[in-house]
Amino acid sequence: MKIYNTLTKKVEEFIPNEPGRVKMYTCGPTVYHFAHIGNLRCYIFEDVLEKTLNYLGYSVKRVMNITDVGHLTSDADSGEDKMLKGARRENKSVLQIADFYTEAFKKDIKELNIKWPEVVAKATDNIEEYIIIINELLNKEYAYQSGGNIYFDTSKLVDYYKLTNHKIDEMVVGSRAGVEEDINKKNQADFVLWFTKSKFEDQELKWDSPWGLGYPGWHIECSGICMKYLGENLDIHCGGIDNIFPHHTNEIAQSEAFLGHKWCNFWVHGEHLNDETGKMSKSKGDFLTISLLKEKGYDPLAYRFMCLNTSYRKVLVFSYEALDNAVKAYEKLKNKVRILNIEGDIDEEKYLEYDNKFKESIADDLNTANAITLIYEVLKSNISSATKYKLIKNWDEVLSLDLLKKDFDDKSLDKDYIEQKIKERDEAKKLKNYELADQIRYNLEEEGIILKDTKNGTMYEKII
Ligand code: AMP
Ligand code: ZN
């Protein structure tokens, strides 16, 4: 398999440390708000990567963190704690916020057919790991105490910037516009491992440590959780491209200083989802979620389909027009696949020929767009229907588009039919015939369709 490695800036042959086994770490969400569909694009790409490795015969152990403390508004350790900000916004405790948005995240992941990683660990459950690492970094003089906090001393490393493509002065955190300088740092790029002096009196979560009551920085959480569950040698570390600096750069610095050797061989990053104004981000306030798309009547898997039609390394610009086109193509494809006849002989030779082509596509730096084109090719070909069915069924283990799921009768899949019923219900309501309106809603529910009245009109969704 070939994959683009941010560390070497090349598409490389993927070779794990242990033949056939892959240790994979993916940065998880900061649970202070709903995940937006940009964040979820990143989790879709990581899911495809894990499933591709499985399809190519590797067994994968994947670990992900849930950040519920220490991630400040700026990734460069300044600003307010995001969790605290979320708690204040909703007049709740940090723990309530963390629980609520972790559950919401799980729901989004499920809606998008993303596999929940084998290990998912909360940052607040692993404080002792960070303390062990920080202690060792202090002993080795890679870290220092200043103004109450413990910092990593980036000047101790000759290759601190090895993951980034940028010029050093552009990357130095203090030189970024809008980021205030921390006078306790020896070097501008140094970052916090442990805070004891919080700028916020009401910081809710604090733990005892050899340096006083405090809380961990965001970067140390990923290193600590990753090494705890995956050991000293990691094969793949993923995240969105905004994580390259400072987050992943700092993870490498502290992990390799702690271990005394190279930590991870492959760094794989997903490009962003942009809206018309630029990168979709929670700080902009106006962001799209899966539940909002569902409210508008979109199937989350149509969004997954849209993502898979673009390389994970290219910027994807979201627009409703693009999503509508994806919906049309996705519905058409499903309709073609769902009428395939399962009965009959499998043409083994053709099966292998097409399956090898599929493997070549996904092994080519996750070329999912090619893999989808191959489905159309198979559907058009003159191989037996049963062979087509078997191919697409197996490929859907990687694509996870539910191409073969037949959980509704034809009537409930018929949009014209549903829209006609919605119209009849609207008319009944206008005539104040609420009994008929309720009956229409009830009948649709019996057929697997739920109606939702929104300010943009009545939307519907399928019951899974
Ligand atoms: P967060 O919850 O903010 O820590 O982000 C979760 C993941 O989503 C990280 O791996 C980010 O790199 C990624 N991410 C953030 N914004 C976007 C975006 N607009 N498009 C794609 N991925 C993103
Ligand atoms: Zn991380």
Side-chain angles (χ1 to χ4, degrees):
M1 169 175 181
K2 287 193 160 56
I3 192 95
Y4 182 82
N5 187 353
T6 310
L7 194 58
T8 57
K9 290 146 195 88
K10 279 197 290 249
V11 175
E12 286 186 341
E13 188 62 37
F14 171 68
I15 304 166
N17 286 300
E18 220 186 303
R21 288 173 181 274
V22 179
K23 292 180 177 177
M24 176 175 175
Y25 185 85
T26 54
C27 287
T30 306
V31 282
Y32 71 110
H33 216 321
F34 291 110
H36 58 62
I37 60 170
N39 301 131
L40 291 161
R41 178 186 185 202
C42 192
Y43 299 108
I44 291 173
F45 125 71
E46 291 161 351
D47 182 57
V48 171
L49 175 56
E50 179 179 1
K51 288 172 178 168
T52 293
L53 289 163
N54 285 147
Y55 201 76
L56 298 175
Y58 295 99
S59 81
V60 180
K61 179 162 181 180
R62 178 171 163 202
V63 177
M64 185 177 79
N65 64 302
I66 298 274
T67 297
D68 50 2
V69 69
H71 193 175
L72 305 191
T73 348
S74 152
D75 288 355
D77 306 329
S78 68
E80 201 173 356
D81 186 315
K82 289 186 177 186
M83 294 303 297
L84 210 58
K85 201 172 159 186
R88 204 170 294 144
R89 183 185 64 231
E90 296 180 25
N91 230 344
K92 288 185 185 146
S93 72
V94 162
L95 288 176
Q96 281 172 323
I97 288 288
D99 281 350
F100 179 81
Y101 288 111
T102 302
E103 283 312 306
F105 178 68
K106 275 188 191 163
K107 203 166 155 245
D108 290 340
I109 289 292
K110 205 163 164 228
E111 301 266 24
L112 288 164
N113 277 353
I114 295 169
K115 181 176 169 276
W116 192 244
E118 185 178 328
V119 177
V120 177
K122 285 204 282 188
T124 49
D125 282 345
N126 291 283
I127 302 293
E128 65 281 13
E129 303 301 319
Y130 323 139
I131 292 180
I132 292 170
I133 299 171
I134 298 168
N135 234 339
E136 181 70 0
L137 291 174
L138 281 164
N139 288 341
K140 287 184 166 179
E141 295 182 1
Y142 279 110
Y144 59 92
Q145 193 160 7
S146 175
N149 296 334
I150 310 293
Y151 293 88
F152 186 92
D153 185 348
T154 53
S155 70
K156 293 280 165 76
L157 302 175
V158 283
D159 53 0
Y160 170 66
Y161 292 100
K162 66 184 170 188
L163 193 63
T164 71
N165 234 341
H166 299 71
K167 290 198 188 85
I168 289 178
D169 15 327
E170 278 171 21
M171 303 305 297
V172 171
V173 174
S175 70
R176 282 213 210 145
V179 176
E180 60 194 272
E181 214 171 298
D182 179 345
I183 50 158
N184 295 317
K185 289 181 182 182
K186 284 192 196 164
N187 314 286
Q188 282 190 342
D190 292 355
F191 55 93
V192 181
L193 298 163
W194 187 267
F195 292 93
T196 64
K197 285 275 181 303
S198 170
K199 278 187 234 161
F200 308 103
E201 301 282 302
D202 50 354
Q203 181 75 26
E204 275 178 53
L205 302 175
K206 285 186 188 168
W207 293 263
D208 242 340
S209 80
W211 322 287
L213 202 62
Y215 61 101
W218 172 43
H219 316 298
I220 196 71
E221 296 170 10
C222 283
S223 288
I225 290 172
C226 186
M227 289 193 269
K228 174 176 172 181
Y229 291 100
L230 294 170
E232 291 193 7
N233 297 295
L234 184 64
D235 294 305
I236 304 181
H237 195 309
C238 296
I241 51 153
D242 58 311
N243 285 158
I244 297 174
F245 187 85
H247 186 47
H248 290 167
T249 296
N250 292 349
E251 275 192 55
I252 295 178
Q254 64 205 3
S255 301
E256 295 192 349
F258 171 74
L259 292 168
H261 61 73
K262 188 174 180 185
W263 176 42
C264 173
N265 290 331
F266 288 82
W267 287 83
V268 186
H269 293 99
E271 247 299 350
H272 283 149
L273 178 81
N274 286 0
D275 55 25
E276 275 111 6
T277 60
K279 179 194 162 201
M280 189 170 290
S281 77
K282 287 176 220 177
S283 53
K284 278 201 212 158
D286 192 21
F287 59 84
L288 284 173
T289 59
I290 283 297
S291 46
L292 195 78
L293 289 187
K294 280 186 72 185
E295 242 172 64
K296 288 180 183 285
Y298 290 103
D299 179 348
L301 293 183
Y303 175 63
R304 183 175 173 114
F305 181 79
M306 178 174 153
C307 291
L308 298 192
N309 271 299
T310 303
S311 158
Y312 75 95
R313 279 174 55 207
K314 287 207 176 110
V315 170
L316 178 62
V317 180
F318 181 85
S319 69
Y320 279 106
E321 197 187 344
L323 185 60
D324 285 334
N325 288 335
V327 168
K328 273 184 220 146
Y330 177 55
E331 291 296 326
K332 250 194 201 164
L333 180 61
K334 277 193 301 186
N335 289 340
K336 281 195 187 132
V337 173
R338 286 171 185 185
I339 53 168
L340 286 175
N341 194 352
I342 313 170
E343 312 295 329
D345 292 335
I346 305 283
D347 183 341
E348 294 297 345
E349 213 175 289
K350 284 287 171 196
Y351 177 87
L352 282 178
E353 188 188 315
Y354 277 112
D355 195 43
N356 280 337
K357 278 193 189 176
F358 178 78
K359 284 180 178 157
E360 273 167 26
S361 294
I362 53 172
D364 175 18
D365 200 17
L366 304 184
N367 196 336
T368 43
N370 253 2
I372 290 171
T373 307
L374 203 60
I375 301 179
Y376 293 109
E377 216 180 283
V378 162
L379 286 168
K380 264 197 226 140
S381 75
N382 55 7
I383 61 175
S384 75
S385 192
T387 312
K388 291 179 184 176
Y389 182 90
K390 186 175 168 188
L391 283 165
I392 296 169
K393 181 170 178 280
N394 290 342
W395 298 351
D396 209 28
E397 281 174 21
V398 177
L399 304 173
S400 300
L401 292 166
D402 283 356
L403 294 173
L404 291 147
K405 212 168 169 188
K406 280 187 186 159
D407 38 7
F408 305 102
D409 58 31
D410 287 346
K411 214 202 250 172
S412 65
L413 283 171
D414 184 344
K415 285 189 175 161
D416 291 343
Y417 166 79
I418 300 165
E419 260 143 35
Q420 174 60 28
K421 289 288 160 198
I422 290 175
K423 233 189 233 164
E424 284 172 27
R425 178 170 167 264
D426 285 344
E427 261 146 38
K429 281 205 286 190
K430 258 191 223 148
L431 297 170
K432 298 205 169 24
N433 186 350
Y434 295 115
E435 214 176 284
L436 177 61
D438 283 346
Q439 189 59 45
I440 293 171
R441 174 198 279 273
Y442 177 74
N443 288 349
L444 281 173
E445 274 179 20
E446 292 257 288
E447 289 164 358
I449 301 296
I450 281 196
L451 297 186
K452 276 192 183 162
D453 295 315
T454 72
K455 63 177 189 318
N456 297 323
T458 305
M459 304 292 172
Y460 61 90
E461 68 183 62
K462 300 165 191 170
I463 304 170
I464 309 276

